[in-house]
Amino acid sequence: MKNLISMRDLTKKDILQFLELAEKIEKSKIKPNLSKKLAALIFYEPSTRTQFSFATAMKKLGGQTITMRGTQSTSVQKGETFADTLKTISMYADLIIMRSAIEGSAHYASEVVDIPVINAGDGANQHPTQALLDLYSMKKTQGTLENLTIGIVGDLKFGRTVHSLVQAMSDFKPKFYFISPSFLKMPEYINEDLREKNVFFQELKDAEEKIQEMDLMYVTRIQKERFADPEDYEKVKGSYIIESAMLKGVKKKFKILHPLPRAGEISTDVDKTKYAYYFQQAKNGIYVRQAIIATLLGGTK
Amino acid sequence: MKQMKVDAIKNGTVIDHISAGKGMQVAEIINISGENEVFIGVNLQSKKIGKKDIIKIENRELTSEQVNTVALIAPQATLVIIKNYEVAKKVSLKLQENIENIVVCPNPKCITNVDNIPTKFKLVGIEPTKIRCVYCERKYNVDEISIRI
Protein backbone atom coordinates (compact mmCIF):
# COMPACT_ATOMS: atom_id res chain seq x y z
CA MET A 1 0.00 0.00 0.00
CA LYS A 2 1.39 3.36 -1.00
CA ASN A 3 -1.09 5.89 0.37
CA LEU A 4 -3.91 6.08 2.89
CA ILE A 5 -6.54 8.34 1.37
CA SER A 6 -9.94 6.80 1.99
CA MET A 7 -11.53 3.94 3.92
CA ARG A 8 -13.14 3.07 0.61
CA ASP A 9 -9.73 1.90 -0.67
CA LEU A 10 -9.23 -0.56 2.20
CA THR A 11 -10.35 -4.16 2.27
CA LYS A 12 -11.38 -5.86 5.48
CA LYS A 13 -8.00 -7.60 5.40
CA ASP A 14 -6.13 -4.28 5.08
CA ILE A 15 -8.04 -2.90 8.07
CA LEU A 16 -7.27 -5.93 10.23
CA GLN A 17 -3.59 -5.78 9.25
CA PHE A 18 -3.33 -2.17 10.42
CA LEU A 19 -5.05 -3.04 13.70
CA GLU A 20 -2.79 -6.05 14.29
CA LEU A 21 0.32 -3.99 13.72
CA ALA A 22 -1.00 -1.25 16.03
CA GLU A 23 -1.53 -3.87 18.73
CA LYS A 24 2.01 -5.20 18.30
CA ILE A 25 3.36 -1.66 18.57
CA GLU A 26 1.27 -0.99 21.68
CA LYS A 27 2.54 -4.18 23.33
CA SER A 28 6.13 -3.38 22.25
CA LYS A 29 6.31 -6.65 20.30
CA ILE A 30 7.59 -4.72 17.35
CA LYS A 31 9.52 -1.46 17.29
CA PRO A 32 9.69 0.02 13.82
CA ASN A 33 12.64 2.34 13.38
CA LEU A 34 12.16 5.34 11.14
CA SER A 35 15.12 7.32 12.42
CA LYS A 36 16.14 8.40 8.92
CA LYS A 37 12.65 9.47 7.87
CA LEU A 38 11.04 12.87 7.71
CA ALA A 39 7.27 13.49 7.56
CA ALA A 40 5.83 16.76 6.27
CA LEU A 41 2.67 17.76 8.11
CA ILE A 42 0.71 20.01 5.79
CA PHE A 43 -2.26 21.43 7.66
CA TYR A 44 -4.20 23.82 5.48
CA GLU A 45 -6.99 23.61 8.03
CA PRO A 46 -6.04 23.94 11.70
CA SER A 47 -6.37 20.82 13.83
CA THR A 48 -4.00 20.91 16.74
CA ARG A 49 -5.07 17.53 18.07
CA THR A 50 -4.64 15.53 14.86
CA GLN A 51 -1.39 17.33 14.11
CA PHE A 52 -0.04 16.57 17.61
CA SER A 53 -1.11 12.96 17.33
CA PHE A 54 0.71 12.47 14.02
CA ALA A 55 3.81 14.31 15.23
CA THR A 56 3.87 12.18 18.39
CA ALA A 57 3.48 8.97 16.36
CA MET A 58 6.29 9.96 13.99
CA LYS A 59 8.61 10.92 16.86
CA LYS A 60 7.90 7.69 18.75
CA LEU A 61 9.00 5.85 15.62
CA GLY A 62 12.29 7.77 15.78
CA GLY A 63 11.42 9.95 12.81
CA GLN A 64 11.22 13.70 12.40
CA THR A 65 8.59 16.15 11.24
CA ILE A 66 8.34 19.49 9.49
CA THR A 67 5.10 21.43 9.57
CA MET A 68 3.36 23.77 7.19
CA ARG A 69 0.24 25.63 8.22
CA GLY A 70 -1.92 28.07 6.32
CA THR A 71 -4.66 28.04 3.78
CA GLN A 72 -4.59 26.37 0.43
CA SER A 73 -5.17 29.72 -1.21
CA THR A 74 -2.08 31.29 0.37
CA SER A 75 0.25 29.64 -2.11
CA VAL A 76 -2.16 30.40 -4.91
CA GLN A 77 -2.03 34.08 -3.99
CA LYS A 78 1.73 33.92 -4.39
CA GLY A 79 1.18 32.43 -7.81
CA GLU A 80 2.14 28.87 -6.93
CA THR A 81 -0.28 26.06 -7.64
CA PHE A 82 -1.27 23.51 -5.03
CA ALA A 83 0.47 20.83 -7.12
CA ASP A 84 3.75 22.79 -7.19
CA THR A 85 3.67 23.31 -3.41
CA LEU A 86 3.25 19.59 -2.88
CA LYS A 87 5.91 18.61 -5.42
CA THR A 88 8.40 20.93 -3.74
CA ILE A 89 7.69 19.56 -0.28
CA SER A 90 7.98 16.01 -1.63
CA MET A 91 11.59 16.83 -2.49
CA TYR A 92 12.34 17.39 1.20
CA ALA A 93 10.22 14.78 2.96
CA ASP A 94 9.60 11.01 2.83
CA LEU A 95 5.90 11.25 3.65
CA ILE A 96 3.14 13.85 3.39
CA ILE A 97 0.41 13.99 6.02
CA MET A 98 -2.25 16.38 4.86
CA ARG A 99 -5.36 18.08 6.24
CA SER A 100 -7.49 20.36 4.09
CA ALA A 101 -11.05 21.65 3.89
CA ILE A 102 -11.05 20.94 0.17
CA GLU A 103 -12.55 17.54 -0.58
CA GLY A 104 -10.39 15.20 -2.62
CA SER A 105 -7.22 17.24 -2.07
CA ALA A 106 -5.36 14.33 -0.45
CA HIS A 107 -6.26 12.07 -3.38
CA TYR A 108 -5.03 14.72 -5.79
CA ALA A 109 -1.85 15.13 -3.73
CA SER A 110 -1.19 11.39 -4.07
CA GLU A 111 -1.37 11.77 -7.85
CA VAL A 112 1.13 14.60 -8.09
CA VAL A 113 3.86 13.41 -5.70
CA ASP A 114 5.93 10.22 -5.68
CA ILE A 115 6.12 9.86 -1.87
CA PRO A 116 3.31 8.35 0.24
CA VAL A 117 0.40 10.56 1.31
CA ILE A 118 -1.79 10.15 4.38
CA ASN A 119 -5.15 11.91 4.42
CA ALA A 120 -5.57 13.58 7.80
CA GLY A 121 -9.02 14.83 6.86
CA ASP A 122 -10.39 16.40 3.66
CA GLY A 123 -13.46 18.56 4.27
CA ALA A 124 -16.60 16.54 4.94
CA ASN A 125 -15.19 13.60 2.98
CA GLN A 126 -12.74 11.27 4.73
CA HIS A 127 -10.64 10.96 7.87
CA PRO A 128 -9.32 7.40 7.56
CA THR A 129 -6.80 7.47 10.42
CA GLN A 130 -9.57 8.53 12.82
CA ALA A 131 -11.77 5.71 11.52
CA LEU A 132 -8.96 3.19 12.03
CA LEU A 133 -8.26 4.35 15.57
CA ASP A 134 -11.99 4.14 16.29
CA LEU A 135 -12.03 0.57 15.00
CA TYR A 136 -8.94 -0.23 17.05
CA SER A 137 -10.68 1.09 20.17
CA MET A 138 -13.78 -0.95 19.40
CA LYS A 139 -11.81 -4.14 18.85
CA LYS A 140 -9.69 -3.57 21.94
CA THR A 141 -12.70 -3.07 24.21
CA GLN A 142 -15.01 -5.69 22.69
CA GLY A 143 -12.46 -8.32 21.62
CA THR A 144 -13.90 -8.36 18.09
CA LEU A 145 -15.30 -6.11 15.37
CA GLU A 146 -17.92 -8.60 14.22
CA ASN A 147 -21.64 -8.29 15.03
CA LEU A 148 -21.40 -5.21 17.24
CA THR A 149 -24.40 -3.03 18.09
CA ILE A 150 -23.34 0.60 17.91
CA GLY A 151 -25.30 3.73 18.76
CA ILE A 152 -24.04 6.84 16.96
CA VAL A 153 -25.10 10.11 18.54
CA GLY A 154 -24.77 13.73 17.47
CA ASP A 155 -24.10 15.48 14.19
CA LEU A 156 -24.39 12.68 11.67
CA LYS A 157 -24.75 14.99 8.69
CA PHE A 158 -21.47 16.91 8.67
CA GLY A 159 -19.40 14.50 10.74
CA ARG A 160 -16.87 12.95 8.35
CA THR A 161 -15.58 10.85 11.27
CA VAL A 162 -18.97 9.21 11.50
CA HIS A 163 -19.16 8.67 7.73
CA SER A 164 -15.76 6.98 7.57
CA LEU A 165 -16.57 4.87 10.63
CA VAL A 166 -19.93 3.63 9.35
CA GLN A 167 -18.33 2.77 6.03
CA ALA A 168 -15.41 0.96 7.65
CA MET A 169 -17.64 -1.04 9.99
CA SER A 170 -20.11 -2.11 7.33
CA ASP A 171 -18.07 -5.20 6.41
CA PHE A 172 -18.21 -6.50 9.98
CA LYS A 173 -21.98 -7.16 10.18
CA PRO A 174 -22.81 -4.32 12.59
CA LYS A 175 -26.16 -3.08 13.84
CA PHE A 176 -26.43 0.71 13.94
CA TYR A 177 -28.70 3.05 15.86
CA PHE A 178 -28.54 6.65 14.65
CA ILE A 179 -29.51 9.39 17.09
CA SER A 180 -29.47 13.00 15.90
CA PRO A 181 -31.59 16.14 15.53
CA SER A 182 -33.74 15.81 12.40
CA PHE A 183 -31.70 18.30 10.38
CA LEU A 184 -28.40 16.61 11.27
CA LYS A 185 -29.42 13.12 10.15
CA MET A 186 -27.15 10.67 8.35
CA PRO A 187 -26.99 11.73 4.67
CA GLU A 188 -29.04 9.66 2.27
CA TYR A 189 -25.98 8.62 0.21
CA ILE A 190 -24.51 6.94 3.30
CA ASN A 191 -27.81 5.21 4.12
CA GLU A 192 -27.96 4.04 0.52
CA ASP A 193 -24.50 2.45 0.82
CA LEU A 194 -25.64 0.69 4.00
CA ARG A 195 -28.79 -0.66 2.34
CA GLU A 196 -26.72 -1.96 -0.57
CA LYS A 197 -24.55 -3.85 1.93
CA ASN A 198 -27.56 -5.11 3.89
CA VAL A 199 -26.44 -3.38 7.07
CA PHE A 200 -29.13 -2.91 9.73
CA PHE A 201 -29.69 0.69 10.84
CA GLN A 202 -32.49 2.47 12.62
CA GLU A 203 -33.02 6.09 13.59
CA LEU A 204 -33.91 6.71 17.24
CA LYS A 205 -35.27 9.85 18.92
CA ASP A 206 -33.37 9.53 22.15
CA ALA A 207 -29.90 8.33 23.10
CA GLU A 208 -31.28 6.44 26.08
CA GLU A 209 -33.56 4.24 23.99
CA LYS A 210 -31.88 0.87 23.26
CA ILE A 211 -28.77 1.85 25.24
CA GLN A 212 -28.91 -1.48 27.09
CA GLU A 213 -28.68 -3.28 23.76
CA MET A 214 -25.56 -1.41 22.62
CA ASP A 215 -21.97 -2.63 22.82
CA LEU A 216 -20.69 0.84 22.05
CA MET A 217 -21.96 4.36 21.89
CA TYR A 218 -20.10 6.72 19.58
CA VAL A 219 -20.82 10.34 20.46
CA THR A 220 -19.88 13.32 18.29
CA ARG A 221 -20.01 17.02 18.83
CA ILE A 222 -23.12 18.99 17.91
CA GLN A 223 -22.02 22.50 17.11
CA LYS A 224 -24.39 25.12 18.45
CA GLU A 225 -23.71 27.16 15.32
CA ARG A 226 -25.55 24.57 13.23
CA PHE A 227 -28.82 25.69 14.79
CA ALA A 228 -30.53 28.70 13.23
CA ASP A 229 -32.21 29.52 16.52
CA PRO A 230 -30.20 29.06 19.75
CA GLU A 231 -33.44 28.26 21.56
CA ASP A 232 -33.86 25.17 19.39
CA TYR A 233 -30.48 23.98 20.57
CA GLU A 234 -31.48 24.36 24.20
CA LYS A 235 -34.68 22.42 23.50
CA VAL A 236 -33.07 19.39 21.90
CA LYS A 237 -29.64 19.22 23.49
CA GLY A 238 -30.90 17.11 26.42
CA SER A 239 -31.69 14.25 24.04
CA TYR A 240 -28.10 14.09 22.91
CA ILE A 241 -26.25 14.59 26.17
CA ILE A 242 -24.95 11.46 27.84
CA GLU A 243 -25.13 11.46 31.60
CA SER A 244 -24.10 8.79 34.08
CA ALA A 245 -27.74 8.30 35.17
CA MET A 246 -28.53 6.95 31.69
CA LEU A 247 -26.01 4.16 31.98
CA LYS A 248 -27.92 1.87 34.33
CA GLY A 249 -28.27 -1.67 33.06
CA VAL A 250 -25.88 -1.29 30.13
CA LYS A 251 -23.77 -4.23 28.97
CA LYS A 252 -20.69 -5.10 31.03
CA LYS A 253 -18.24 -4.24 28.28
CA PHE A 254 -20.24 -1.19 27.12
CA LYS A 255 -18.01 1.74 26.22
CA ILE A 256 -18.56 5.35 25.17
CA LEU A 257 -16.32 6.71 22.43
CA HIS A 258 -15.89 10.29 21.24
CA PRO A 259 -13.38 11.62 18.66
CA LEU A 260 -12.87 14.75 20.86
CA PRO A 261 -12.93 17.62 21.46
CA ARG A 262 -16.25 17.39 23.24
CA ALA A 263 -18.49 20.39 23.82
CA GLY A 264 -20.70 19.16 26.60
CA GLU A 265 -22.24 16.12 24.83
CA ILE A 266 -20.82 13.82 27.48
CA SER A 267 -21.36 15.08 30.97
CA THR A 268 -18.13 15.02 33.02
CA ASP A 269 -19.77 12.74 35.58
CA VAL A 270 -19.47 9.98 32.98
CA ASP A 271 -15.66 10.34 32.98
CA LYS A 272 -15.16 8.42 36.20
CA THR A 273 -17.39 5.51 35.18
CA LYS A 274 -15.86 2.41 33.63
CA TYR A 275 -17.83 3.14 30.46
CA ALA A 276 -15.83 6.26 29.55
CA TYR A 277 -13.22 5.38 26.96
CA TYR A 278 -12.63 8.59 24.99
CA PHE A 279 -9.25 9.51 26.47
CA GLN A 280 -7.85 6.00 25.98
CA GLN A 281 -9.28 6.24 22.47
CA ALA A 282 -7.10 9.32 21.84
CA LYS A 283 -4.10 7.38 23.14
CA ASN A 284 -4.91 4.49 20.82
CA GLY A 285 -4.63 7.02 18.01
CA ILE A 286 -0.87 7.14 18.52
CA TYR A 287 -0.43 3.35 18.09
CA VAL A 288 -2.68 3.28 15.05
CA ARG A 289 -0.93 6.25 13.41
CA GLN A 290 2.45 4.65 14.17
CA ALA A 291 1.22 1.48 12.44
CA ILE A 292 0.00 3.43 9.41
CA ILE A 293 3.18 5.49 9.04
CA ALA A 294 5.39 2.39 9.53
CA THR A 295 3.40 0.46 6.93
CA LEU A 296 3.67 3.21 4.31
CA LEU A 297 7.35 3.91 4.96
CA GLY A 298 8.30 0.24 5.11
CA GLY A 299 9.54 0.25 8.67
CA THR A 300 7.67 -2.82 9.85
CA LYS A 301 10.37 -5.41 9.20
CA MET B 1 -42.57 3.93 -48.34
CA LYS B 2 -42.27 5.03 -44.72
CA GLN B 3 -42.70 8.76 -44.37
CA MET B 4 -39.74 10.34 -42.65
CA LYS B 5 -40.46 13.07 -40.13
CA VAL B 6 -36.76 13.88 -40.02
CA ASP B 7 -34.94 13.92 -43.35
CA ALA B 8 -32.77 10.95 -44.22
CA ILE B 9 -29.09 11.77 -44.61
CA LYS B 10 -26.76 10.52 -47.32
CA ASN B 11 -23.58 10.20 -45.26
CA GLY B 12 -23.06 10.82 -41.57
CA THR B 13 -24.23 9.76 -38.14
CA VAL B 14 -27.65 9.10 -36.66
CA ILE B 15 -28.18 9.00 -32.93
CA ASP B 16 -31.55 7.38 -32.39
CA HIS B 17 -33.63 6.34 -29.38
CA ILE B 18 -32.40 9.19 -27.19
CA SER B 19 -34.85 9.41 -24.30
CA ALA B 20 -37.25 12.27 -24.92
CA GLY B 21 -35.93 15.51 -23.45
CA LYS B 22 -32.25 14.59 -23.66
CA GLY B 23 -31.80 15.41 -27.35
CA MET B 24 -30.72 19.01 -26.87
CA GLN B 25 -28.17 18.01 -24.26
CA VAL B 26 -26.75 15.38 -26.60
CA ALA B 27 -26.64 17.98 -29.39
CA GLU B 28 -24.64 20.25 -27.14
CA ILE B 29 -22.16 17.49 -26.31
CA ILE B 30 -21.47 16.60 -29.92
CA ASN B 31 -21.20 20.29 -30.85
CA ILE B 32 -23.53 20.91 -33.75
CA SER B 33 -22.28 24.43 -34.42
CA GLY B 34 -20.10 23.41 -37.38
CA GLU B 35 -20.95 23.68 -41.06
CA ASN B 36 -22.61 20.29 -41.42
CA GLU B 37 -26.37 19.92 -41.74
CA VAL B 38 -27.99 18.66 -38.56
CA PHE B 39 -31.57 17.48 -38.05
CA ILE B 40 -32.97 17.22 -34.58
CA GLY B 41 -36.28 15.52 -33.88
CA VAL B 42 -37.84 15.92 -30.47
CA ASN B 43 -40.66 13.93 -28.83
CA LEU B 44 -41.12 11.53 -31.73
CA GLN B 45 -43.18 8.37 -31.37
CA SER B 46 -41.09 5.27 -30.81
CA LYS B 47 -42.26 1.67 -30.65
CA LYS B 48 -39.17 0.82 -28.66
CA ILE B 49 -39.14 3.48 -25.95
CA GLY B 50 -42.42 5.44 -26.22
CA LYS B 51 -41.17 8.92 -26.95
CA LYS B 52 -37.73 9.65 -28.26
CA ASP B 53 -35.42 12.31 -29.59
CA ILE B 54 -33.25 11.77 -32.65
CA ILE B 55 -30.25 13.58 -34.14
CA LYS B 56 -28.89 13.21 -37.65
CA ILE B 57 -25.60 14.82 -38.61
CA GLU B 58 -24.53 15.02 -42.21
CA ASN B 59 -20.93 14.14 -43.17
CA ARG B 60 -19.55 13.61 -39.73
CA GLU B 61 -18.51 10.82 -37.39
CA LEU B 62 -18.21 11.34 -33.65
CA THR B 63 -14.99 11.08 -31.71
CA SER B 64 -14.79 8.23 -29.22
CA GLU B 65 -14.86 10.80 -26.43
CA GLN B 66 -18.13 12.18 -27.75
CA VAL B 67 -19.57 8.67 -28.07
CA ASN B 68 -18.64 7.97 -24.43
CA THR B 69 -20.28 11.18 -23.32
CA VAL B 70 -23.48 10.39 -25.23
CA ALA B 71 -23.49 6.97 -23.53
CA LEU B 72 -23.44 8.67 -20.18
CA ILE B 73 -26.35 11.03 -20.91
CA ALA B 74 -28.43 8.68 -23.07
CA PRO B 75 -27.26 5.11 -22.37
CA GLN B 76 -30.12 3.53 -24.33
CA ALA B 77 -29.48 5.52 -27.51
CA THR B 78 -28.32 3.78 -30.67
CA LEU B 79 -25.65 5.17 -32.93
CA VAL B 80 -25.57 4.41 -36.62
CA ILE B 81 -23.06 5.43 -39.31
CA ILE B 82 -24.74 6.07 -42.65
CA LYS B 83 -22.95 5.69 -46.01
CA ASN B 84 -24.87 6.45 -49.17
CA TYR B 85 -28.24 6.26 -47.37
CA GLU B 86 -27.43 2.78 -46.05
CA VAL B 87 -26.50 1.69 -42.56
CA ALA B 88 -22.74 1.12 -42.74
CA LYS B 89 -22.05 0.46 -39.10
CA LYS B 90 -23.86 0.27 -35.79
CA VAL B 91 -21.85 1.54 -32.89
CA SER B 92 -22.90 0.21 -29.53
CA LEU B 93 -22.93 2.73 -26.74
CA LYS B 94 -21.19 1.37 -23.72
CA LEU B 95 -20.97 3.09 -20.39
CA GLN B 96 -17.32 3.52 -19.52
CA GLU B 97 -16.06 2.43 -16.10
CA ASN B 98 -13.84 5.49 -15.96
CA ILE B 99 -15.25 8.83 -17.01
CA GLU B 100 -12.41 11.28 -17.43
CA ASN B 101 -12.74 15.01 -17.85
CA ILE B 102 -16.30 14.82 -19.21
CA VAL B 103 -18.40 15.63 -16.16
CA VAL B 104 -18.34 18.66 -13.84
CA CYS B 105 -18.41 17.63 -10.19
CA PRO B 106 -21.46 19.30 -8.61
CA ASN B 107 -19.70 19.57 -5.23
CA PRO B 108 -18.35 23.13 -4.96
CA LYS B 109 -15.86 22.00 -2.29
CA CYS B 110 -14.36 19.35 -4.57
CA ILE B 111 -10.71 19.89 -5.52
CA THR B 112 -11.66 19.64 -9.21
CA ASN B 113 -13.71 22.83 -8.85
CA VAL B 114 -11.32 24.65 -6.52
CA ASP B 115 -8.12 23.97 -8.50
CA ASN B 116 -9.71 23.39 -11.90
CA ILE B 117 -8.05 20.03 -12.57
CA PRO B 118 -9.42 17.32 -14.89
CA THR B 119 -12.34 15.45 -13.31
CA LYS B 120 -12.46 11.68 -12.85
CA PHE B 121 -15.57 9.68 -12.12
CA LYS B 122 -16.23 5.97 -11.77
CA LEU B 123 -19.40 4.25 -12.88
CA VAL B 124 -21.04 2.82 -9.76
CA GLY B 125 -24.60 2.05 -10.87
CA ILE B 126 -26.69 1.44 -13.96
CA GLU B 127 -30.42 2.09 -14.47
CA PRO B 128 -30.30 4.76 -13.28
CA THR B 129 -26.71 5.62 -14.14
CA LYS B 130 -24.79 6.59 -11.02
CA ILE B 131 -21.24 7.86 -10.91
CA ARG B 132 -18.84 8.65 -8.08
CA CYS B 133 -16.22 11.41 -8.06
CA VAL B 134 -12.78 9.84 -7.58
CA TYR B 135 -11.67 12.90 -5.60
CA CYS B 136 -14.45 14.01 -3.24
CA GLU B 137 -16.15 10.56 -3.40
CA ARG B 138 -19.66 11.99 -3.71
CA LYS B 139 -22.07 9.81 -5.63
CA TYR B 140 -24.38 11.38 -8.20
CA ASN B 141 -27.28 10.38 -10.31
CA VAL B 142 -26.56 11.21 -13.94
CA ASP B 143 -29.47 13.73 -13.90
CA GLU B 144 -27.62 15.81 -11.30
CA ILE B 145 -24.49 16.36 -13.33
CA SER B 146 -23.47 18.73 -16.07
CA ILE B 147 -20.97 18.16 -18.84
CA ARG B 148 -17.61 19.88 -19.25
CA ILE B 149 -17.59 21.26 -22.77
Side-chain angles (χ1 to χ4, degrees):
Chain A
M1 190 178 305
K2 195 185 166 225
N3 308 295
L4 179 62
I5 305 298
S6 166
M7 290 307 287
R8 225 181 268 287
D9 304 331
L10 299 186
T11 63
K12 193 170 168 175
K13 198 178 152 200
D14 295 332
I15 292 173
L16 292 171
Q17 268 173 359
F18 276 130
L19 303 191
E20 262 166 46
L21 181 59
E23 193 184 340
K24 282 182 188 159
I25 290 172
E26 180 179 358
K27 293 181 176 164
S28 300
K29 284 182 185 165
I30 182 169
K31 287 184 179 166
N33 181 2
L34 299 181
S35 60
K36 291 197 172 68
K37 301 289 185 182
L38 177 68
L41 301 171
I42 306 177
F43 277 63
Y44 286 119
E45 189 189 48
S47 168
T48 315
R49 239 163 249 270
T50 307
Q51 194 184 318
F52 262 45
S53 179
F54 271 111
T56 306
M58 190 63 191
K59 287 181 173 143
K60 286 200 163 192
L61 292 167
Q64 301 191 54
T65 60
I66 48 172
T67 305
M68 191 178 107
R69 282 172 179 253
T71 61
Q72 213 143 323
S73 51
T74 317
S75 60
V76 176
Q77 277 166 8
K78 287 183 194 157
E80 187 177 48
T81 64
F82 176 52
D84 280 5
T85 307
L86 292 166
K87 275 183 200 159
T88 308
I89 292 171
S90 77
M91 295 296 135
Y92 313 149
D94 303 292
L95 167 72
I96 285 175
I97 298 167
M98 202 179 116
R99 155 76 63 108
S100 166
I102 298 164
E103 294 164 19
S105 47
H107 186 107
Y108 180 56
S110 74
E111 290 179 340
V112 298
V113 301
D114 294 325
I115 61 171
V117 176
I118 296 176
N119 184 4
D122 62 330
N125 185 30
Q126 287 272 336
H127 193 359
T129 63
Q130 178 71 45
L132 286 167
L133 81 88
D134 292 341
L135 295 188
Y136 185 72
S137 301
M138 291 182 175
K139 187 160 183 277
K140 199 168 146 185
T141 59
Q142 307 299 319
T144 177
L145 286 176
E146 302 283 344
N147 301 303
L148 296 175
T149 300
I150 305 164
I152 305 183
V153 187
D155 178 354
L156 310 187
K157 186 175 178 186
F158 299 100
R160 67 179 156 212
T161 305
V162 162
H163 301 166
S164 290
L165 177 67
V166 164
Q167 222 164 43
M169 278 303 287
S170 56
D171 287 332
F172 295 92
K173 300 190 261 347
K175 190 173 175 181
F176 288 124
Y177 290 117
F178 296 153
I179 304 121
S180 70
S182 56
F183 63 95
L184 293 175
K185 275 189 190 175
M186 195 63 90
E188 192 40 40
Y189 69 93
I190 301 275
N191 289 344
E192 201 178 294
D193 286 347
L194 292 178
R195 271 184 226 109
E196 276 170 22
K197 289 191 167 182
N198 285 317
V199 173
F200 175 94
F201 66 93
Q202 190 188 336
E203 288 170 351
L204 301 179
K205 283 217 169 65
D206 202 287
E208 218 171 336
E209 220 184 317
K210 308 265 188 192
I211 196 166
Q212 293 167 350
E213 205 190 295
M214 294 172 194
D215 297 300
L216 293 149
M217 182 177 261
Y218 193 96
V219 186
T220 64
R221 192 153 55 115
I222 296 184
Q223 285 165 295
K224 231 184 218 180
E225 306 85 86
R226 302 272 190 222
F227 290 79
D229 184 349
E231 267 182 40
D232 289 343
Y233 173 76
E234 295 304 323
K235 266 185 239 162
V236 302
K237 72 172 190 186
S239 311
Y240 312 103
I241 290 180
I242 314 303
E243 291 168 337
S244 61
M246 293 164 67
L247 305 173
K248 289 193 184 87
V250 293
K251 287 186 174 178
K252 261 189 192 163
K253 286 197 279 185
F254 176 77
K255 289 285 181 275
I256 299 168
L257 273 61
H258 191 303
L260 302 178
R262 66 175 155 181
E265 310 82 30
I266 304 176
S267 152
T268 48
D269 66 354
V270 175
D271 295 2
K272 53 185 183 295
T273 71
K274 63 173 183 176
Y275 308 116
Y277 195 73
Y278 21 95
F279 294 110
Q280 289 96 315
Q281 183 186 354
K283 189 176 181 185
N284 290 338
I286 305 292
Y287 307 127
V288 172
R289 292 189 169 115
Q290 278 180 279
I292 293 162
I293 294 169
T295 302
L296 299 187
L297 289 181
T300 56
K301 296 209 173 70
Chain B
M1 199 180 124
K2 191 180 158 193
Q3 194 197 340
M4 301 288 283
K5 280 195 179 157
V6 180
D7 274 358
I9 54 172
K10 187 179 178 192
N11 295 302
T13 304
V14 175
I15 307 167
D16 200 355
H17 304 110
I18 303 167
S19 4
K22 297 274 186 195
M24 297 312 283
Q25 204 181 348
V26 172
E28 200 180 350
I29 291 160
I30 59 176
N31 186 15
I32 53 168
S33 61
E35 300 200 333
N36 306 331
E37 284 188 344
V38 178
F39 305 94
I40 302 177
V42 173
N43 282 334
L44 307 182
Q45 291 295 331
S46 161
K47 277 182 200 149
K48 207 171 148 191
I49 61 167
K51 285 206 175 238
K52 68 171 185 183
D53 292 354
I54 189 169
I55 301 176
K56 299 185 180 188
I57 320 143
E58 194 86 64
N59 295 324
R60 201 181 123 192
E61 288 189 21
L62 302 184
T63 65
S64 62
E65 194 192 355
Q66 286 168 331
V67 173
N68 292 341
T69 313
V70 173
L72 191 65
I73 301 301
Q76 69 287 62
T78 51
L79 202 142
V80 178
I81 312 291
I82 305 290
K83 293 226 165 96
N84 204 17
Y85 297 107
E86 299 282 334
V87 172
K89 196 168 123 195
K90 283 192 178 176
V91 181
S92 61
L93 292 180
K94 201 167 166 286
L95 280 167
Q96 302 294 305
E97 287 296 320
N98 297 305
I99 301 137
E100 299 204 356
N101 214 16
I102 290 175
V103 172
V104 178
C105 183
N107 176 8
K109 284 186 169 171
C110 178
I111 183 86
T112 58
N113 292 315
V114 178
D115 271 27
N116 197 26
I117 59 170
T119 62
K120 285 184 199 168
F121 282 79
K122 281 205 182 295
L123 183 68
V124 290
I126 43 168
E127 292 180 40
T129 305
K130 286 186 179 172
I131 58 174
R132 187 189 303 282
C133 175
V134 167
Y135 294 100
C136 74
E137 302 187 26
R138 300 282 176 95
K139 188 159 86 174
Y140 295 100
N141 208 310
V142 79
D143 294 334
E144 298 173 85
I145 56 154
S146 54
I147 300 296
R148 264 191 181 183
I149 299 171

